[in-house]
């Protein structure tokens, strides 16, 4: 076999062609790579701390910008809904025999139970969207939930669940399989966004909530929000879809595929059966680095880091700064830090299963039909077998004309989204988002309007925070939600 | 230590909470993951074929779109320039004691040697830009080089080198270190784009070429093209900079950092000392998958793959297609294939060193000054110690007004690029390029104009091919080059 044009067996027998010699100090030294050694060091710490039951000290944040707080889950702080009945699944003939949903609530349920907002999470968030008396840790949407805030708890009863497939209390690959007494691991069935929503509505049944005031979500939460309105058109009063999509794009699939690939290539992943051993922490770190690139934007990094280097060691602040193969630039130490922070906080299999569910999400009529999915309703016209009329004949409002050059699949998407025709919907996107691009936000709004929905509010935000804008821009994102819900 | 809120030691002692049981067929089966098993299989093939000296069969292309042909290097087909004298390096006090440059040529050198075009390569390309009598394999810029083509060989003598740091003949980390008789590996010094260019000009000295008709390059080749004009202002007649930059952006650094990270985390990488063993083929595949995402664009994938699934096995074309955790969508099999194709064709250390050189490239005045870099010239005014006047006082031509809101660093970049003031320059960018964004192309043109260069031609191309447009769009890229050079 040829490798770089040389037979591999001959590689070590090459003769010298240079006539000069290096100094011995250069030639004999074997370099160190702290950014690589950190993986083995982390593994040693995991082994040690498993024995000594202490915790890993967290490193400090290298940048100065805002970060979404991902709260560590506190098992005592969330409520559990246990459902002993089977849950039908989109992609499996066997149902999930039973399931659990972890959830938290804020505000007060009205006597008629008509003030419920179901808040859906993104990929890796827990039910801890905001602090509670039993868990005062800051939640991932802390500034958006509370009296007078975007989700006004003086008016609404907000419920947030950990999604099916997750690892923060709800049933997922890290849950125990009754039959074996061991974790499901990759014997967990592939799940869909619709499955997640069905599990949540079983919990709403248990809570006695017949109809939601609103279904609200960002990123994958927006997919769930749309899916909730689709599955239960009579039970959803309003929909908020922020930085989501009705049809995952190839470029978003590509970025999630890259994450799954590095994760599954980690030898610790072990085909998903790592729960009795060491978790694939290196793969998780690498995957999170890639994910972080998709969550932010180049313009933010230009402003926040530019081409600045990492701080020099305090002992030698004025020493020369020769480049290294490990992180040099602040943007590199930032990504390294994001990966390091995350790699033991989330279950690798949950990341794989949930990111796959996002990839598969597609509200195109033919896809929904092939999956044999049906809305639970009698009042809304079920999708017809023919696509709707061309855009110029539909019910677009005068302030929002139909797109002048719609893509070929838009009518099929509009047909698929017809069950949402009567639900007022807020669609909000961010121009700097490279994961759920602004074209996808326009697509959701256009498809809803083409389907005949006359109550679609559509906003685009500027700014440099990319996809993570929904976690950070309280003024604009929060303001739009508050206005829409009031 | 807590992992997912549970002490690691207790993970396997969890009790069941479910009341129903899975069927035994689901519960006891351990799933297979062909996309993971392929890494071990590849490693077995490498071991086997090393013993049996056969070659690895290549898989077939899953998509139908155009792919740049990366020719396998043929040692007999390129010429070698051996230089026994030391080469000064940007980031090292020790020079490289000697070096070699592999190069190929097309066309006929004129008697006065005034018709030379030096063509610079991108990161991973060899000197084989086009087919030659000694190597009829298609080159990476085959359609751009030849009689009547963009680089017209009936008029010009085209020279293309493998870059310093590469693995296709020129001195790099996989070259043998005279002192040890072993490969340099990561004892190879960190090199800069300027170092690559200096090595090439030593080769031009040897060829007796005093002045280039033009210095031409795309991607990293564009960096070299600008660096050539900067280092040797009197020896470069024209500059072509396609989809390049004068100052690598944080987002491009982020994408290259992600590639280096997955590569260096491969246990086979072994701190760079893998030449006597197995190469980090898995890390290389994962890195190439990430790289491929940056080379193309979402709009291309929308058109080329959309949300289509991989073809079903021929034996069961009509079988149901349940989703899997391994690649399902064509975009996934495409990326998988790109990684698989590349992972044994290029040296991992070359990828690390050269991508690092790209990250470090910055023509800002203060950066060049701190590196003690100086142009080799007497005729061009050396950079002054003060930045140039604000843009409205500089020599912008009337057809190209200065940018209305230039970033703060632009005057410093213009000051750094002052040695290029007298060299006519073509700057060409692509609006769908996510790696070297069109803003960076405007930046190069703006900085050159602000520096006083009155001969800057600037084009932006549409289309969906992203960064790889320079390899594919013969009509528009080739046409602009041909017009500029004639």
């Amino acid at each position: 076999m040829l490798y770089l044009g040389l037979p591999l067996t001959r590689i070590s027998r090459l003769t010298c062609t240079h006539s000069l010699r290096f100094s011995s100090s250069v030639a004999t030294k074997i370099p160190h790579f702290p950014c690589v050694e950190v993986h083995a060091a982390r593994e040693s710490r995991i082994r040690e701390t498993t024995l000594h039951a202490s915790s890993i000290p967290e490193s400090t944040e290298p940048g100065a910008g805002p970060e979404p707080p991902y709260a560590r889950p506190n098992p005592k702080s969330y409520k559990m809904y246990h459902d002993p009945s089977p849950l039908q699944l989109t992609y499996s003939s066997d149902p999930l025999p039973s399931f659990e949903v972890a959830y938290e609530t804020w505000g007060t349920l009205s006597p008629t139970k008509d003030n419920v907002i179901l808040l859906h999470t993104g990929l890796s968030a827990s039910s801890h969207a905001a602090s509670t008396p039993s868990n005062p840790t800051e939640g991932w949407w802390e500034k958006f939930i509370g009296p007078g805030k975007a989700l006004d708890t003086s008016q609404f009863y907000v419920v947030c669940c950990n999604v099916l497939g997750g690892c923060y209390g709800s049933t997922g690959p890290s849950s125990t399989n009754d039959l074996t007494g061991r974790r499901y691991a990759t014997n967990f069935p592939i799940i869909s966004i619709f499955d997640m929503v069905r599990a949540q509505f079983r919990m709403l049944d248990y809570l006695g909530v017949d109809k939601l005031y609103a279904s609200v979500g960002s990123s994958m939460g927006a997919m769930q929000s749309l899916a909730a309105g689709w599955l239960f058109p009579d039970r959803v009063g309003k929909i908020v879809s922020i930085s989501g999509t009705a049809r995952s794009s190839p470029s978003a699939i590509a970025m999630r595929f890259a994450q799954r690939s590095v994760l599954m290539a980690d030898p610790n992943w072990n085909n998903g059966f790592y729960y009795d051993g060491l978790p694939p922490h290196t793969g998780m770190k690498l995957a999170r680095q890639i994910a972080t690139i998709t969550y932010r934007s180049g313009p933010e990094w230009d402003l926040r880091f530019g081409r600045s280097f990492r701080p020099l060691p305090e002992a030698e602040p004025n020493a020369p700064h020769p480049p290294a193969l490990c992180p040099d630039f602040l943007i590199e130490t930032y990504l390294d830090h994001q990966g390091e922070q995350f790699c033991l906080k989330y279950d690798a299999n949950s990341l794989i299963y949930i990111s796959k569910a996002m990839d598969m999400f597609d509200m195109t009529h033919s896809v929904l039909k092939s999956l044999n999915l049906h809305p639970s309703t009698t009042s809304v016209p079920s999708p017809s077998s023919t696509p709707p009329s061309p855009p110029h004949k539909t019910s677009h409002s005068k302030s929002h004309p139909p797109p002048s050059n719609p893509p070929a699949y838009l009518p099929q998407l509009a047909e698929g989204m017809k069950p949402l025709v009567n639900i007022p919907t807020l669609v909000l996107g961010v121009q700097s988002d490279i994961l759920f691009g602004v074209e996808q936000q326009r697509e959701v709004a256009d498809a809803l309007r083409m389907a005949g929905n006359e109550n679609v509010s559509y906003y685009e935000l500027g700014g440099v925070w990319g996809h993570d804008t929904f976690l950070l821009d309280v003024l604009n994102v929060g303001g739009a939600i508050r206005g829409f819900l009031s």
Side-chain angles (χ1 to χ4, degrees), chain A:
Chain A
M1 181 226 154
L2 288 179
Y3 174 59
L4 308 180
L6 293 165
L8 266 180
T9 44
R10 269 199 265 149
I11 280 174
S12 57
R13 282 186 262 132
L14 279 172
T15 53
C16 298
T17 51
H18 296 296
S19 55
L20 290 183
R21 287 174 179 277
F22 262 75
S23 68
S24 61
S25 64
V26 172
T28 56
K29 194 175 166 188
I30 300 227
H32 285 284
F33 295 96
C35 60
V36 177
E37 289 157 8
V38 70
H39 303 312
R42 193 187 313 113
E43 194 142 312
S44 296
R45 280 206 309 281
I46 296 171
R47 288 183 199 275
E48 271 176 35
T49 50
T50 302
L51 291 172
H52 302 295
S54 61
S55 64
I56 297 178
E58 287 178 26
S59 50
T60 52
E61 167 66 31
E67 284 310 317
Y70 290 103
R72 287 184 177 229
N74 179 346
K76 290 174 192 161
S77 73
Y78 50 69
K79 298 160 196 160
M80 287 297 286
Y81 166 64
H82 302 257
D83 194 320
S85 304
L87 180 73
Q88 194 191 328
L89 299 175
T90 305
Y91 301 117
S92 173
S93 52
D94 294 324
L96 201 60
S98 65
F99 64 96
E100 295 182 311
V101 174
Y103 68 100
E104 295 178 54
T105 65
W106 300 263
T108 307
L109 187 59
S110 66
T112 54
K113 301 186 176 181
D114 64 351
N115 69 334
V116 178
I117 290 178
L118 183 60
L119 172 62
H120 307 275
T121 76
L123 200 167
S124 59
S126 71
S127 58
H128 196 58
S131 53
T132 58
S134 62
N135 182 1
T137 315
E138 196 178 330
W140 57 265
W141 232 27
E142 187 74 26
K143 291 179 181 157
F144 292 77
I145 301 169
K149 294 183 180 173
L151 304 187
D152 187 351
T153 52
S154 63
Q155 185 181 357
F156 299 116
Y157 183 65
V158 179
V159 182
C160 182
C161 308
N162 182 223
V163 293
L164 192 74
C167 60
Y168 291 146
S170 296
T171 300
S174 59
S175 300
T176 301
N177 179 339
D178 285 351
L179 189 64
T180 61
R182 298 169 71 90
R183 312 269 191 144
Y184 280 108
T186 44
N187 280 322
F188 196 72
I190 300 236
I191 54 168
S192 74
I193 300 291
F194 294 98
D195 298 337
M196 296 175 186
V197 170
R198 270 195 291 238
Q200 289 158 10
F201 272 70
R202 291 267 284 269
M203 180 204 64
L204 292 179
D205 293 342
Y206 160 79
L207 294 177
V209 177
D210 185 49
K211 180 167 182 171
L212 295 174
Y213 183 84
S215 174
V216 174
S218 307
S219 190
M220 186 182 78
M223 296 178 178
Q224 293 171 71
S225 196
L226 293 168
W230 193 92
L231 282 172
F232 305 101
D234 303 337
R235 299 182 65 182
V236 175
K238 294 184 175 190
I239 290 173
V240 173
S241 167
I242 301 169
S243 299
T245 183
R247 185 173 174 278
S248 283
S249 70
S251 61
I253 295 171
M255 295 306 295
R256 288 190 287 263
F257 166 72
Q259 293 169 54
R260 286 194 296 270
S261 296
V262 299
L263 184 45
M264 292 164 75
D266 184 330
N268 280 5
W269 184 63
N270 191 33
N271 281 10
F273 288 77
Y274 52 81
Y275 296 111
D276 293 334
L278 288 162
H281 54 95
T282 302
M284 282 295 273
K285 177 173 178 177
L286 298 170
R288 187 62 168 189
Q289 288 179 174
I290 298 168
T292 303
I293 293 174
T294 69
Y295 293 157
R296 296 306 183 94
S297 81
E300 184 202 2
W301 293 334
D302 286 339
L303 292 171
R304 185 170 170 189
F305 303 120
R307 290 184 46 84
S308 299
F309 290 103
R310 64 186 153 83
L312 292 169
E314 278 184 31
E316 323 169 65
N318 299 316
H321 189 286
L325 299 183
C326 277
D328 263 331
F329 292 97
L330 275 188
I331 176 64
E332 295 178 294
T333 56
Y334 165 78
L335 294 173
D336 185 275
H337 175 80
Q338 294 297 317
E340 195 71 34
Q341 282 281 84
F342 184 76
C343 67
L344 290 171
K345 278 192 187 165
Y346 195 72
D347 179 49
N349 284 337
S350 282
L351 179 61
I352 293 169
Y353 275 85
I354 297 178
S355 75
K356 185 75 196 183
M358 295 173 76
D359 287 2
M360 298 300 294
F361 189 62
D362 186 348
M363 300 186 86
T364 303
H365 175 59
S366 55
V367 172
L368 297 169
K369 198 177 166 192
S370 74
L371 295 173
N372 208 21
L373 282 167
H374 302 286
S376 300
T377 178
T378 52
S379 63
V380 171
S382 61
S384 68
S385 58
T386 53
S389 312
H392 62 277
K393 291 186 185 173
T394 60
S395 60
H396 280 79
S397 67
K398 284 178 185 167
S399 65
H400 293 97
S404 56
N405 191 17
Y409 58 80
L410 198 63
Q412 271 284 323
L413 187 60
E415 178 72 8
M417 295 178 84
K418 245 187 177 167
L420 303 173
V421 67
N422 294 325
I423 309 177
T425 302
L426 167 65
V427 180
L428 187 149
V430 178
Q431 287 158 347
S432 57
D433 190 335
I434 57 172
L435 190 59
F436 291 78
V438 80
E439 319 75 40
Q440 294 217 293
Q441 312 310 316
R442 292 175 195 154
E443 181 179 287
V444 172
D446 286 341
L448 284 170
R449 288 170 180 153
M450 192 183 278
N453 191 321
E454 300 258 10
N455 287 294
V456 178
S457 303
Y458 181 72
Y459 298 93
E460 282 182 20
L461 298 184
V464 297
W465 284 329
H467 187 61
D468 269 358
T469 298
F470 78 86
L471 294 166
L472 303 167
D473 190 350
V474 180
L475 182 70
N476 292 298
V477 175
I481 295 170
R482 196 166 152 69
F484 176 75
L485 293 179
S486 64

